[in-house]
Amino acid sequence: MPEGDTVHQAARRLHTALAGHTVTRSDLRVPKLATVDLTGRTVLDVTPRGKHLLTRFEGGLTLHSHLRMDGSWKVYAPGERWGGGPGHQIRAILGNAERTAVGYRLPVLELLRTAEEDKAVGHLGPDLLGPDWDPEQALANLLVAPERALGEALLDQRNLAGIGNVYKSELGFLLGVTPWLPIGELPAETASRLPALAKKLLEANRDRPSRTTTGRDRAGQRLYVYGRASRPCLRCGTPIRLGEQGDGSRSRPTYWCPSCQQGPTP
């Protein structure tokens, strides 16, 4: 699942492939953009904002995309076989003389005026990997609704941008509380650590091909709890539990150690 660190990596790959080059192939395969042609425009930059990607073109245009659960951008050299999925899943093609970027299964793809990017990303809280990062504001945002479950508050991109389901579960473990604990019940010292810890995790993985929160590189030991249901906790040996957590609109698999983490559970 793409989270802030992997979106940052995608932005870097796209920026390297496209920025400073003139578009020679443009194909946006969503109905509202079917007649849009970006050929002849130079790509200025590709910037991540939380889990969003902003590809900016000369002339004041921005292509906004969001990967959500299984979207991806792939970059190919001339003559290289495209392997991101079947052709019917392609939603965008941006090519130049040296590289072609192909967007697969993109649930969000829209063209905006660059001056109006806030329409797409203005609702986001401080970006954990962005220049606007403000840990005090992030914590204040999280605590606005003290009755809200920690996991739900962390996934709300209006509070802070970049955390997904993996980091939600891992942060709960590292803080020693379950994702269902009302965030207002976090001890003050624990709450104050949360923004810095979240940033530390994402920064540690922004350049890594394989995400880790444990510091270990062995398969099955890179994460403390996420994806490890029924396997022994790396800290205490208790089997990791799996449950569902959601805000009423969508449930997400959530992992925790019943011994290392305190608080309510399903």
Side-chain angles (χ1 to χ4, degrees):
M1 172 186 178
E3 306 200 20
D5 52 353
T6 50
V7 172
H8 219 87
Q9 292 174 19
R12 185 165 61 245
R13 290 194 299 271
L14 289 171
H15 183 86
T16 299
L18 300 176
H21 295 278
T22 299
V23 176
T24 57
R25 181 177 180 183
S26 167
D27 187 359
L28 304 180
R29 300 180 180 179
V30 296
K32 62 183 178 182
L33 300 180
T35 61
V36 171
D37 186 2
L38 297 170
T39 301
R41 294 181 184 267
T42 298
V43 176
L44 302 179
D45 64 80
V46 181
T47 297
R49 181 73 172 85
K51 299 182 186 182
H52 300 251
L53 287 165
L54 302 170
T55 303
R56 300 183 178 118
F57 300 81
E58 66 175 348
L61 293 178
T62 295
L63 187 66
H64 165 231
S65 58
H66 194 296
L67 307 181
R68 289 192 181 163
M69 291 298 291
D70 61 350
S72 67
W73 279 96
K74 304 291 185 180
V75 175
Y76 302 102
E80 184 179 359
R81 183 176 179 179
W82 296 1
H88 72 267
Q89 293 183 348
I90 294 174
R91 297 294 177 266
I93 301 172
L94 295 173
N96 55 50
E98 299 180 9
R99 293 287 186 272
T100 300
V102 184
Y104 291 89
R105 301 171 299 278
L106 301 176
V108 175
L109 190 68
E110 59 179 343
L111 194 65
L112 308 166
R113 290 289 177 187
T114 301
E116 298 177 346
E117 286 178 356
D118 272 1
K119 290 183 177 179
V121 297
H123 66 288
L124 298 175
D127 187 341
L128 283 152
L129 295 178
D132 69 320
W133 173 242
D134 183 338
E136 293 182 0
Q137 184 60 58
L139 182 58
N141 292 347
L142 288 166
L143 295 176
V144 164
E147 75 285 354
R148 196 173 191 190
L150 171 66
E152 294 175 16
L154 289 174
L155 288 181
D156 190 336
Q157 303 298 294
R158 296 170 297 181
N159 291 331
L160 68 173
I163 291 177
N165 211 36
V166 176
Y167 285 120
K168 175 199 78 173
S169 293
E170 294 296 292
L171 280 166
F173 178 84
L174 291 168
L175 293 172
V177 298
T178 69
W180 291 272
L181 182 77
I183 194 166
E185 294 183 17
L186 279 175
E189 182 180 353
T190 302
S192 67
R193 290 174 47 220
L194 197 164
L197 180 58
K199 182 175 178 62
K200 180 179 179 180
L201 291 182
L202 267 72
E203 283 192 331
N205 287 287
R206 67 190 300 172
D207 298 318
R208 294 182 59 91
S210 298
R211 180 185 291 139
T212 179
T213 58
T214 65
R216 307 177 190 183
D217 284 326
R218 291 181 58 186
Q221 295 189 1
R222 294 188 178 100
L223 302 175
Y224 283 109
V225 292
Y226 189 86
R228 303 191 72 251
S230 300
R231 301 180 68 180
C233 174
L234 296 175
R235 180 177 291 170
C236 73
T238 302
I240 299 299
R241 298 282 302 278
L242 168 63
E244 295 288 330
Q245 183 177 41
D247 58 5
S249 61
R250 184 177 194 175
S251 294
R252 298 173 184 268
T254 301
Y255 301 82
W256 78 99
C257 172
S259 295
C260 294
Q261 294 171 251
Q262 304 301 310
T265 60

